[in-house]
Amino acid sequence: MTRPSALSEAAFLARFGAVYEDSPWVAAGVWPDPPDDLDGLAVAMAAVVDATPVERRLALIRAHPELAGRAKMADASVREQSGAGLDQCSPEEFAAFQRLNAAYGARFGFPFIVAVKGLTRTDILSAFEARLANAPEAEFAGAIAQIHRIARFRLADLLQGS
């Protein structure tokens, strides 16, 4: 396994730049001294996000695709949503996702974010419904926390595939 700290900057960014959806600036923020272990790298990358201005965190949230949507997604998002069966929705489930995506976007101004790994479509729809009642500040913080979970899953996959 090649340790992250042993990679050149270009190789590090090529490998870890997509961990945070369409936001290679997160990986760039831990260079030139990235930790070599999953916990250290996950914490370091999360710290980069958490230290950035709210507008940049909002852009990070908005970089994520809607669930069960038809928009082009990053390869990792396609795999994650497929793993949760979101590519196999019944017409009724698809309609529910579309209705909830619209309601959530109108209420919060960004897409619903949940780390779908290990969840079923029913779990996701239930979380969607429950979180629509959250205060905007709580939902913003929750979206960032879910993005960190997603990033950790992605890092684990990348580090295991070394």
Side-chain angles (χ1 to χ4, degrees):
M1 171 176 114
T2 304
R3 295 182 337 265
S5 64
L7 297 171
S8 69
E9 180 178 13
F12 179 81
L13 293 177
R15 185 162 190 192
F16 297 103
V19 167
Y20 280 81
E21 195 88 14
D22 198 27
S23 301
W25 56 267
V26 179
V30 301
W31 186 262
D33 191 24
D36 287 327
D37 64 298
L38 173 60
D39 289 337
L41 194 53
V43 167
M45 291 179 92
V48 169
V49 170
D50 294 343
T52 199
V54 68
E55 296 83 15
R56 196 162 201 194
R57 283 180 279 148
L58 179 58
L60 172 63
I61 295 170
R62 288 180 173 160
H64 285 75
E66 289 185 339
L67 295 178
R70 301 283 189 225
K72 178 160 174 33
M73 292 183 256
D75 290 343
S77 290
V78 171
R79 283 190 305 276
E80 291 156 0
Q81 288 200 28
S82 293
L86 296 184
D87 60 339
Q88 300 168 13
C89 288
S90 69
E92 296 78 18
E93 289 170 328
F94 184 74
F97 273 106
Q98 297 312 301
R99 177 182 55 78
L100 290 165
N101 279 326
Y104 189 94
R107 175 155 166 71
F108 298 111
F110 51 81
F112 175 76
I113 310 291
V114 66
V116 298
K117 189 172 186 168
L119 300 179
T120 66
R121 292 186 301 272
T122 302
D123 296 335
I124 296 164
L125 286 168
S126 294
F128 224 141
E129 292 276 3
R131 286 176 45 194
L132 267 169
N134 284 347
E137 301 80 19
E139 198 53 27
F140 184 92
I144 293 295
Q146 289 295 312
I147 289 170
H148 291 324
R149 276 182 53 90
I150 294 165
R152 185 177 182 81
F153 288 138
R154 290 177 180 179
L155 284 169
D157 289 344
L158 286 170
L159 291 171
Q160 289 172 357
S162 297

